[in-house]
């Protein structure tokens, strides 16, 4: 027998219920994300591959984003008859106290690496472009223009080559900067 959580009570005491009609909805303690993958991309999916799940919560007054780790737990062999997409199930690697991070029916973004990069992750907004792509790094209170190569591009961030992990990158106010301008770092 497996433990579970009652996620919905469909009937009340003394209700008349037809045979086969559920009384409660019980779910297990795991979080599963299901996605459809095209025949062009299904070869990139392997069981146990690590993925990153981004959930945007706009239920309150401000938009908040949560990043969760997961792995591919199931890949169907046959595509769906209507969508022609292969169903891929992702099991989130979360603790019991994180089960409220996603609600049933939430729409999420799934990030899966299809190759390995060795680079630095930056917000897309930090990238400047003229005849080449560049960012400003701060060295001795001076903004230094540094050419970079974009290795991978996602919705709002990029993976770049040409920087060291410990370097400080300007991520706000860089449009007003020129190479070798004096700057003050604000944290």
């Amino acid at each position: 027998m497996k433990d579970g959580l009652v996620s919905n009570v469909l009937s009340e005491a003394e209700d008349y219920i037809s045979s086969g009609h559920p009384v409660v909805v019980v779910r297990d303690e795991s979080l599963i994300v299901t996605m459809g993958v095209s025949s062009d991309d299904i070869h990139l999916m392997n069981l146990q591959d690590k993925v990153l799940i981004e959930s945007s919560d706009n239920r309150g007054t401000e938009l908040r984003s949560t990043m969760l780790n997961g792995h591919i737990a199931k890949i169907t062999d046959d595509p769906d008859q209507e969508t022609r997409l292969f169903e891929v199930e992702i099991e989130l690697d979360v603790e019991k106290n994180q089960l409220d991070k996603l609600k049933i029916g939430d729409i999420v973004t799934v990030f899966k690496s299809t190759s390995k990069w060795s680079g630095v992750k930056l917000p897309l907004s930090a990238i400047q472009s003229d005849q080449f792509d560049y960012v400003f790094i701060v060295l001795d209170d001076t903004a230094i223009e540094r050419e970079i190569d974009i290795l991978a591009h996602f919705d709002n961030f990029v993976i770049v080559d040409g920087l060291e992990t410990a370097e400080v990158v300007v991520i706000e106010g860089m449009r007003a900067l020129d190479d070798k301008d004096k700057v003050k770092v604000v944290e």
Side-chain angles (χ1 to χ4, degrees):
M1 178 165 270
K2 194 173 182 180
D3 288 341
L5 302 169
V6 174
S7 65
N8 197 2
V9 178
L10 304 174
S11 302
E12 295 181 20
E14 300 183 18
D15 280 354
Y16 289 100
I17 301 167
S18 303
S19 175
H21 187 274
V23 177
V24 294
V25 176
V26 179
R27 59 171 261 217
D28 65 12
E29 294 181 340
S30 62
L31 289 177
I32 303 290
V33 170
T34 303
M35 68 177 187
V37 178
S38 72
S39 58
D40 292 338
D41 294 332
I42 195 66
H43 71 279
L44 301 172
M45 306 291 152
N46 298 299
L47 289 175
Q48 301 304 315
D49 278 359
K50 301 291 183 199
V51 295
L52 190 62
I53 307 295
E54 180 180 33
S55 169
S56 297
D57 179 6
N58 59 357
R59 287 171 251 216
T61 56
E62 63 184 55
L63 180 65
R64 286 176 282 155
S65 183
T66 302
M67 300 300 271
L68 300 166
N69 292 309
H71 64 275
I72 295 176
K74 179 182 173 186
I75 304 171
T76 58
D77 292 328
D78 299 318
D80 180 90
Q81 292 296 320
E82 290 181 29
T83 64
R84 305 300 300 157
L85 297 175
F86 292 85
E87 186 175 288
V88 174
E89 285 187 3
I90 298 166
E91 188 171 328
L92 275 63
D93 304 324
V94 294
E95 303 295 325
K96 283 185 181 183
N97 63 349
Q98 294 180 306
L99 290 175
D100 65 340
K101 296 292 184 188
L102 290 179
K103 304 288 185 235
I104 293 174
D106 279 356
I107 296 174
V108 299
T109 303
V110 177
F111 297 98
K112 183 194 177 298
S113 172
T114 56
S115 59
K116 296 192 186 283
W117 300 292
S118 178
V120 176
K121 178 181 171 182
L122 293 176
L124 181 60
S125 59
I127 308 300
Q128 303 294 303
S129 193
D130 193 2
Q131 295 161 344
F132 54 88
D133 293 322
Y134 65 95
V135 295
F136 286 103
I137 64 163
V138 178
L139 188 62
D140 298 327
D141 295 328
T142 303
I144 306 293
E145 186 178 292
R146 175 74 60 83
E147 184 174 352
I148 49 105
D149 292 315
I150 298 175
L151 302 175
H153 184 282
F154 298 93
D155 285 341
N156 55 0
F157 67 91
V158 291
I159 307 293
V160 301
D161 188 29
L163 294 173
E164 298 298 321
T165 352
E167 289 181 310
V168 176
V169 177
V170 178
I171 60 170
E172 287 185 20
M174 58 274 173
R175 300 213 190 289
L177 285 178
D178 288 318
D179 192 28
K180 298 188 177 79
D181 278 355
K182 289 292 182 190
V183 294
K184 178 181 175 187
V185 176
V186 178
E187 293 185 34

